[in-house]
Amino acid sequence: MKDRTLLMIPGPIEFDPAVLQALGAPTTSHVSPDFIETFGRALERMRDVWCAPSGQPFILVGSGTLAMDVVGANLVEPGDRALVLSTGVFGDRFEDLLSRYGADVTVIRTEPGETVDFEAADRALAGGDYKLITGTHVDTSTGVRIDAERFGTLGKQHGALTILDGVCSVAGEEIRQEAWGIDAVLTASQKAIGVPPGLALLVVSQNLLCRWGKRRTVVANYYADWTKWLPIMASYEKRVPSYFGTPAVNLVCALDVSLGQILDEGLDERFARHERFGRACRAAIEALGLDQIPTSADHAANTLTAPRYPEGVKGQDLLPKIREAGAILAGGLHPDIRTEYFRIGHMGATNAGDLLATVGAIEAGLHACGHAFDLGSGVAAAQSILFG
Ligand code: PMP
């Protein structure tokens, strides 16, 4: 019997074999002509995937939290006002992070499952001189998606820089960074970008770089300082050797392959696929009689689904049974509701077969835990959307 369990958590995810093959190739020098070409091309491809033709991309060794930290370190000077729109754990992370750099932070926090109240954000911005606003496109702790286009517009209306945490959305949910006026969109490699963990990725606008250039103080975080990294990114794009800190050579090679695959699929097709998979998974969960954390399908993420455990079923019993049936899922993360729900990731290279096998494994687990439902009803509901 095949000893392979599907990894269906909201990152890291199942990766494409060609991406893993690139990762396993012999490591080359970070200044070899082949690698310079690969790095330069990956930067160019990022602009296309982010839909930010005049944006400045960065590829750094690190995780999504580092991408958040880099933005905070470079933008915040003591006393700057920041508005954090929080829809969960990762929104809250910005409050802590920006405060470290001396920001005066206001948080508009929603109940778990609710999306951002843009009218409240608008009122807050009208009442203060905010330098920046942060939003979490998909908060992985709640499965809630915010309206990223409206987020960009809000920033423009109030002259505030917009920082979008796209860790659980870039290359899965629709983002048009430049058209929507978003100043920074950051992510990590291990989610819908489709590369094993280890890269912090971000694209920032020229408007943001211009504000950054007017800093009065030196950037307090040595590694994060764009003064160090801008010449490196520019050199790779000009295809000339340069060095500040050693890049994750193999991961960058894998990134280049994955970005190529994303562009070959086509962004419109990719966003539509994720939207279809999101709908299919939510329909399956509903058919099995489970509620979900997002309070409306209109603001439910398409990259993950967050079902509540049914009455009488506990995560510590259900999740191991689902795993035995073939799929690794994640438990709850939001501290207020941690034991009440679980999370299913379905992004990046996930295909219809993976999703159906996962729904089948969930059915097997629920059945073993004594939850009453019609066996096969979840799979049928997902199929009617995937193939209907
Ligand atoms: N933001 C969001 C929305 C996330 O989902 C995560 C990771 N789950 C992070 C930030 C932090 O990323 P990392 O774990 O790669 O540091």
Side-chain angles (χ1 to χ4, degrees), residues 1-352:
M1 199 164 82
K2 192 163 79 86
D3 184 19
R4 177 86 176 88
T5 310
L6 282 172
L7 182 61
M8 299 295 285
I9 66 172
I13 57 166
E14 291 282 316
F15 298 115
D16 186 273
V19 171
L20 294 177
Q21 219 168 1
L23 193 67
T27 304
T28 183
S29 159
H30 55 288
V31 288
S32 73
D34 283 0
F35 181 68
I36 292 174
E37 176 59 32
T38 301
F39 199 124
R41 189 173 51 226
L43 289 167
E44 289 158 5
R45 286 177 164 169
M46 277 177 70
R47 277 202 196 86
D48 293 339
V49 170
W50 268 244
C51 300
S54 56
Q56 172 61 54
F58 293 90
I59 301 173
L60 300 171
V61 183
S63 75
T65 308
L66 181 91
M68 296 166 79
D69 202 17
V70 164
V71 173
N74 280 281
L75 287 188
V76 175
E77 292 190 84
D80 283 344
R81 294 194 74 182
L83 183 68
V84 169
L85 307 179
S86 177
T87 46
V89 165
F90 294 102
D92 287 353
R93 186 169 285 195
F94 264 125
E95 178 187 15
D96 187 14
L97 188 156
L98 298 173
S99 305
R100 302 282 175 106
Y101 294 107
D104 173 4
V105 183
T106 304
V107 186
I108 298 183
R109 188 175 282 110
T110 56
E111 288 298 309
E114 295 289 351
T115 193
V116 159
D117 178 350
F118 278 104
E119 273 150 34
D122 191 48
R123 283 193 299 276
L125 288 163
D129 184 20
Y130 285 93
K131 180 172 183 181
L132 62 102
I133 325 172
T134 71
T136 313
H137 196 190
V138 167
D139 201 303
T140 322
S141 70
T142 53
V144 165
R145 188 187 59 226
I146 70 166
D147 182 340
E149 185 172 8
R150 196 161 169 197
F151 175 71
T153 306
L154 184 76
K156 286 279 161 285
Q157 280 166 349
H158 292 277
L161 296 169
T162 38
I163 316 305
L164 188 69
D165 173 348
V167 171
C168 201
S169 69
V170 172
E173 303 278 4
E174 182 176 7
I175 306 179
R176 315 270 172 196
Q177 178 173 357
E178 203 154 311
W180 294 355
I182 308 172
D183 290 298
V185 177
L186 61 93
T187 191
S189 49
Q190 74 271 16
K191 305 227 184 197
I193 285 285
V195 177
L199 294 177
L201 306 168
L202 63 148
V203 177
V204 302
S205 70
Q206 294 302 326
N207 172 48
L208 181 148
L209 283 179
C210 190
R211 290 287 294 274
W212 170 78
K214 293 182 184 146
R215 283 184 67 101
R216 300 174 305 274
T217 55
V218 73
V219 173
N221 181 323
Y222 183 74
Y223 181 83
D225 190 351
W226 287 333
T227 318
K228 311 286 185 194
W229 289 113
L230 277 169
I232 305 300
M233 299 303 139
S235 297
Y236 276 115
E237 283 213 66
K238 280 192 245 134
R239 310 298 197 258
V240 295
S242 63
Y243 165 75
F244 170 56
T246 308
V249 171
N250 291 54
L251 282 167
V252 174
C253 294
L255 174 69
D256 179 48
V257 171
S258 194
L259 292 172
Q261 289 179 343
I262 291 166
L263 293 169
D264 282 350
E265 181 178 3
L267 289 178
D268 290 344
E269 289 74 10
R270 192 171 176 93
F271 298 145
R273 172 166 65 83
H274 281 78
E275 194 271 335
R276 194 164 60 249
F277 280 25
R279 258 188 309 127
C281 194
R282 289 193 295 278
I285 293 303
E286 203 179 315
L288 298 175
L290 275 55
D291 292 333
Q292 297 172 43
I293 300 297
T295 51
S296 161
D298 293 341
H299 62 250
N302 292 310
T303 47
L304 83 150
T305 301
R308 286 185 182 275
Y309 297 117
E311 193 80 24
V313 173
K314 286 197 161 45
Q316 71 229 42
D317 300 323
L318 178 64
L319 295 180
K321 291 200 164 63
I322 296 175
R323 186 187 184 121
E324 269 168 42
I328 300 169
L329 304 184
L333 185 62
H334 195 294
D336 296 354
I337 50 171
R338 195 188 299 272
T339 57
E340 297 172 22
Y341 72 111
F342 62 105
R343 297 172 301 147
I344 310 156
H346 33 76
M347 60 187 119
T350 300
N351 61 29

